[in-house]
Amino acid sequence: MPIFAETKALTFDLFGTILDLGGSLTPFIRDGLNARDVTEISADDFWEQWRYRQRIEQYQDTIMMLGHSGYLETVRRALHYTLRRNGIEASPQTVEEFMKGWQYLSPFPEVLPALQILEERYSLVVLSNGDPVFLDYLVKERVKWDFDDVISVTSFGAFKPHPAVYRGAAGELGIDVNTCLMVSANSFDIMGARGMWV
């Protein structure tokens, strides 16, 4: 029997899988660096450092059992770290300029055609570390796709890849966890989801 024969729902990561973070944010980062005459680091390298640190912020919250402090809060904390690491003052104005790009995230070009094909067979669900209000905005205004459900991990009090997230999502959808498939460009997402297979 094919491994996907029992699959009823595809749960999609949003940040980095559906939405092109690097492609969307590096123009804003480049503008911010140019405005401050920063030449020691490129926009691409700055983004790589920022994203790496943001994941650490999320892992710390989970490992220390602090709960879900908020997706954009971890982004902001990581930005403060990355600015200071590169000798840039993390003033409120600078932080807001760099954070502005998160309101203009766009999907990868191949996403919508793929969703059109997949919706014929599966329920399509967003399962994201993002905050509910932010997710609703991104799905409606930036992705512009009518998913069957949008689930924020805030309901479960932890960031992915905590197992409570995957079990909780299946529970909200009213299906067995083994009939959900996680679709993600992030290896930690897949690792967490695979741990739920029994």
Side-chain angles (χ1 to χ4, degrees):
M1 179 183 296
I3 193 170
F4 302 128
E6 301 298 320
T7 302
K8 297 179 181 177
L10 302 181
T11 56
F12 287 86
D13 167 67
L14 192 65
F15 299 105
T17 302
I18 289 177
L19 294 171
D20 179 6
L21 299 188
S24 301
L25 292 169
T26 49
F28 289 90
I29 294 170
R30 188 173 297 110
D31 289 346
L33 295 176
N34 289 341
R36 289 158 182 81
D37 296 319
V38 176
T39 57
E40 295 81 7
I41 186 169
S42 69
D44 289 334
D45 288 343
F46 188 98
W47 165 242
E48 184 177 341
Q49 291 180 15
W50 188 2
R51 180 63 165 159
Y52 178 77
R53 181 65 194 188
Q54 189 227 344
R55 286 176 172 153
I56 290 177
E57 295 289 340
Q58 292 178 183
Y59 295 152
Q60 287 178 163
D61 279 8
T62 298
I63 291 168
M64 297 172 65
M65 295 186 288
L66 299 176
H68 186 280
S69 62
Y71 186 85
L72 287 176
E73 175 58 25
T74 65
V75 169
R76 190 177 296 271
R77 291 194 317 235
L79 175 59
H80 273 266
Y81 173 90
T82 308
L83 289 168
R84 292 194 305 270
R85 175 179 174 177
N86 290 283
I88 304 168
E89 182 186 3
S91 67
Q93 177 183 349
T94 297
V95 170
E96 290 311 309
E97 283 183 31
F98 279 77
M99 289 292 295
K100 180 174 64 175
W102 288 85
Q103 301 300 316
Y104 298 94
L105 301 176
S106 296
F108 289 102
E110 63 270 24
V111 164
L112 294 182
L115 292 177
Q116 290 173 354
I117 295 169
L118 293 170
E119 72 171 342
E120 297 177 6
R121 180 170 177 184
Y122 306 104
S123 294
L124 306 183
V125 177
V126 169
L127 176 58
S128 174
N129 280 332
D131 312 302
V133 173
F134 189 38
L135 292 182
D136 287 343
Y137 162 74
L138 291 173
V139 166
K140 292 175 184 174
E141 303 299 327
R142 304 304 301 168
V143 182
K144 298 182 179 179
W145 181 268
D146 186 21
F147 288 92
D148 294 292
D149 206 343
V150 178
I151 300 175
S152 167
V153 303
T154 56
S155 303
F156 317 117
F159 286 102
K160 293 180 289 178
H162 195 285
V165 171
Y166 306 99
R167 291 192 190 106
E172 284 198 15
L173 296 172
I175 57 179
D176 187 85
V177 70
N178 286 347
T179 65
C180 295
L181 187 70
M182 186 74 214
V183 181
S184 180
N186 302 305
S187 59
F188 67 84
D189 249 344
I190 303 304
M191 175 191 71
R194 285 188 67 179
M196 297 299 95
W197 281 70
V198 293

